[in-house]
Amino acid sequence: MISLVILISGRGSNLAAIVAEVEAGRLPARIAGVLANRPEAPGLRTAAAHGVPTDVVDHRQFAGREEFDAALASAIDRFSPDLVVLAGFMRILGNTFVRRYENRLINIHPSLLPAFPGLHTHRRALAEGVRIHGCSVHFVTPDLDHGPLIVQAAVPVLDDDDEATLAARVLTQEHRIYPLAVRWFAEGRLKVCDGRVLLAAPQAGDAALIAPATG
Ligand code: GRF
């Protein structure tokens, strides 16, 4: 069983989705700790309600990114995690930090990368008129939102969508694929090769698990 540290900045619905899978016995992982860069992040309460230890490393208390990154790394390492999970963590992490957790640091991004890296993905998807949108889980590299892709889920963009309806449809898929990516990591099935992720030991149900959503 692997141990996780989950990093959040806000709501924590992806955190809650992972907690639910762990508690249901479908994810062979232990959540060692949840860290936030904001003391008011609502997800901290979710973690505490499920008996998960929490800590805050407030970025506003540090002179610069390097100092913040170093303090964050110390807080993470106290839990000795096998995997660090960014779940709505809204700080850009420097190269030294990212390299320290190479191939054991993952992120979820609300677009079908490499389309729409960065912020306001749903607004930009609507402005571009794309017909298919979605979300991606990827290993984190120093190149923001460009690391090797682990799993993606697609959703249709409907004519009457606004940012909120599209975000909600994507979020439902985030909650499905993030625990799935963590499970694959926990099972030792993810290999990074030439910047691509290979899923080892393919199983009969995999195709159904990653099939695009139709609703
Ligand atoms: C999600 O849309 C995630 O893809 C993005 O930030 C949002 C976090 O939501 N990185 P939550 O805090 O997990 O509810």
Side-chain angles (χ1 to χ4, degrees):
M1 164 137 1
I2 64 161
S3 68
L4 314 175
V5 163
I6 303 179
L7 270 53
I8 62 167
S9 295
R11 180 177 56 182
S13 70
N14 279 287
L15 158 71
I18 293 169
V19 167
E21 288 298 291
V22 168
E23 290 182 347
R26 289 188 291 261
L27 183 50
R30 184 178 69 85
I31 304 175
V34 168
L35 301 178
N37 65 307
R38 293 183 170 278
E40 69 277 15
L44 287 171
R45 288 199 296 276
T46 306
H50 289 267
V52 177
T54 63
D55 199 358
V56 174
V57 183
D58 188 339
H59 62 279
R60 292 164 292 200
Q61 313 277 315
F62 295 88
R65 183 183 302 163
E66 279 177 24
E67 291 84 351
F68 170 69
D69 283 3
L72 186 62
S74 300
I76 291 170
D77 291 350
R78 277 197 284 277
F79 294 110
S80 305
D82 300 295
L83 179 65
V84 179
V85 177
L86 305 180
F89 187 70
M90 301 304 287
R91 304 301 298 174
I92 292 175
L93 298 161
N95 291 1
T96 307
F97 181 97
V98 169
R99 290 214 184 86
R100 183 188 188 98
Y101 300 103
E102 190 174 14
N103 290 342
R104 55 191 189 101
L105 175 63
I106 63 176
N107 181 46
I108 188 154
H109 183 77
S111 77
L112 290 173
L113 292 171
F116 309 121
L119 296 173
H120 309 304
T121 55
H122 309 307
R123 191 186 309 167
R124 288 156 61 206
L126 288 169
E128 292 290 346
V130 299
R131 290 303 188 184
I132 306 284
H133 187 42
C135 48
S136 308
V137 180
H138 64 96
F139 283 106
V140 176
T141 61
D143 199 4
L144 184 71
D145 295 334
H146 276 91
L149 293 163
I150 299 169
V151 59
Q152 297 181 292
V155 302
V157 180
L158 306 180
D159 287 346
D160 59 354
D161 268 333
D162 58 23
E163 217 175 319
T165 59
L166 184 55
R169 191 173 308 117
V170 171
L171 193 64
T172 302
Q173 296 305 312
E174 294 186 36
H175 297 163
R176 190 173 69 85
I177 66 170
Y178 215 3
L180 179 62
V182 175
R183 173 146 68 86
W184 284 343
F185 184 96
E187 292 170 347
R189 295 178 62 196
L190 301 178
K191 306 280 175 248
V192 181
C193 190
D194 293 334
R196 293 177 57 195
V197 174
L198 304 178
L199 182 61
Q203 294 166 11
D206 285 347
L209 287 173
I210 62 173
T214 51

